[in-house]
Amino acid sequence: MQLENIEILENHSLAPYAYTQAGGLVDYLAIPKSIHELKVLVNWAKELDMPVQVFGRLSNLIVRNGGLRGLSILLHDLRDVVVDQNKIVASAGADLIWVTEQAFEHGLSGLEWGAGIPGSVGGAVFMNAGAYGGQVDMVVSSVTALMPDGTLQNFGKDVLEFGYRKSVFQSNGGIIISATFELQPDSCAAIRTRMDENNFKRANKQPLNYPSNGSVFKRPEGYFAGKLIMDSKLQGVRRGGVEVSKKHAGFMVNVAHGTGNDYEDLIHYVQKTVYEKFGVNLETEVRIMGER
């Protein structure tokens, strides 16, 4: 169907768009090409009293087999990146990896940790993503969001409520439109060296040859989730087509056409086993949504 020349797909699978290559059907799926189109879609759903979910690159999300009701919006066509002196303004759908490359090309340091992280700028801000000693809250100075009342609002760093894999957008209903990164000048050679070092570590430690969400669990205080899982002898354990990675115990990989339910079942089994062995509750870093 069409809405002001915006294509809306009905009963469409999210799996082809997800890093896990798993996910159920959504009632409606749309990919806006502008903020105006995003507003049109949100207003349409509001008029029909329809729930709305907004995603970037679906790199930190598990959608159950029953899928999602209402309208799902993917922002990956909103991907403008503008460099202005020591600042980069990136639209929510821009690949974080691409933004790190733009920082490198302009001799700006502070995003080297994101060189190999899949996902969008919006998702990274929403989850306060981080790796190798860096994190979104260390470099983001402001965020623009579309609020539930239809207005665009700018959030300074002091009101973004960043925490470990947390931001204010997990509770205020705002749809992240863009983020401003404030970086520091450095030589391109030094920046590239740090990016290459991080990517080398990632390639050696992580199972990049299979679809996955990256790290499944948050780091429990005083422990490492991957080591707890490894010490629980869970590497190689499967539920359906999803397996605890033999290369990195903190990852779950889709090795045989696994589903969202397979991921969730394996997560629950790992949580139960680790708690029984070590008394530690593993909290998921990935988001799990949808109906069974």
Side-chain angles (χ1 to χ4, degrees), residues 228-278:
L228 290 169
I229 296 166
M230 181 175 64
D231 292 345
S232 299
K233 311 291 191 221
L234 289 169
Q235 285 178 281
V237 169
R238 286 193 191 188
R239 287 295 180 270
V242 179
E243 176 180 282
V244 177
S245 170
K246 300 182 182 78
K247 187 172 184 179
H248 189 311
F251 283 58
M252 293 180 181
V253 290
N254 193 343
V255 296
H257 308 291
T259 67
N261 286 8
D262 293 341
Y263 270 97
E264 185 176 32
D265 291 344
L266 187 56
I267 285 169
H268 290 330
Y269 180 73
V270 168
Q271 288 173 319
K272 177 176 179 291
T273 303
V274 168
Y275 184 77
E276 288 173 351
K277 287 184 177 292
F278 299 103

Side-chain angles (χ1 to χ4, degrees), residues 2-237:
Q2 296 278 329
L3 177 68
E4 291 191 20
N5 295 319
I6 307 168
E7 184 179 17
I8 300 176
L9 303 171
E10 299 181 56
N11 295 317
H12 199 75
S13 174
L14 278 181
Y17 306 94
Y19 270 84
T20 58
Q21 294 295 290
L25 299 179
V26 297
D27 291 344
Y28 299 98
L29 177 67
I31 305 174
K33 291 179 168 46
S34 66
I35 296 173
H36 170 73
E37 289 190 358
L38 173 62
K39 288 181 176 180
V40 168
L41 288 165
V42 171
N43 288 337
W44 173 71
K46 186 180 293 186
E47 288 172 4
L48 297 177
D49 198 24
M50 185 189 300
V52 177
Q53 297 84 212
V54 181
F55 307 114
R57 290 287 178 176
L58 296 169
S59 62
N60 202 44
L61 178 72
I62 292 165
V63 178
R64 299 180 179 104
N65 294 8
L68 296 168
R69 305 287 68 80
L71 173 65
S72 293
I73 299 173
L74 302 182
L75 295 183
H76 59 240
D77 278 358
L78 303 181
R79 52 177 182 265
D80 290 342
V81 177
V82 177
V83 182
D84 182 13
Q85 297 184 11
N86 71 320
K87 294 182 179 180
I88 295 180
V89 181
S91 295
D95 285 326
L96 183 61
I97 292 173
W98 173 242
V99 179
T100 67
E101 287 293 332
Q102 292 300 295
F104 156 71
E105 290 182 9
H106 289 82
L108 296 174
S109 176
L111 278 171
E112 291 89 330
W113 54 269
I117 293 182
S120 66
V121 165
V125 171
F126 185 88
M127 294 297 296
N128 192 18
Y132 299 115
Q135 200 163 257
V136 164
D137 61 3
M138 298 167 66
V139 287
V140 164
S141 58
S142 65
V143 175
T144 300
L146 177 64
M147 302 309 294
D149 64 1
T151 62
L152 289 176
Q153 184 173 331
N154 190 65
F155 291 77
K157 187 170 184 176
D158 58 332
V159 294
L160 289 171
E161 297 180 15
F162 282 128
Y164 180 55
R165 302 297 175 260
K166 177 182 175 294
S167 75
V168 69
F169 301 105
Q170 295 176 19
S171 58
N172 72 359
I175 299 171
I176 297 166
I177 298 296
S178 66
T180 299
F181 298 90
E182 194 163 330
L183 307 171
Q184 300 300 319
D186 200 353
S187 75
C188 291
I191 294 168
R192 174 54 69 188
T193 296
R194 290 190 287 270
M195 291 169 69
D196 288 346
E197 287 173 352
N198 288 341
N199 282 331
F200 179 79
K201 293 175 189 173
R202 189 171 279 111
N204 276 275
K205 292 181 179 179
Q206 298 179 7
L208 303 181
N209 54 326
Y210 288 109
S212 82
N213 276 126
S215 296
V216 173
F217 300 103
K218 296 178 181 179
R219 180 184 295 180
E221 190 171 349
Y223 297 91
F224 291 96
K227 189 173 189 312
L228 290 169
I229 296 166
M230 181 175 64
D231 292 345
S232 299
K233 311 291 191 221
L234 289 169
Q235 285 178 281
V237 169

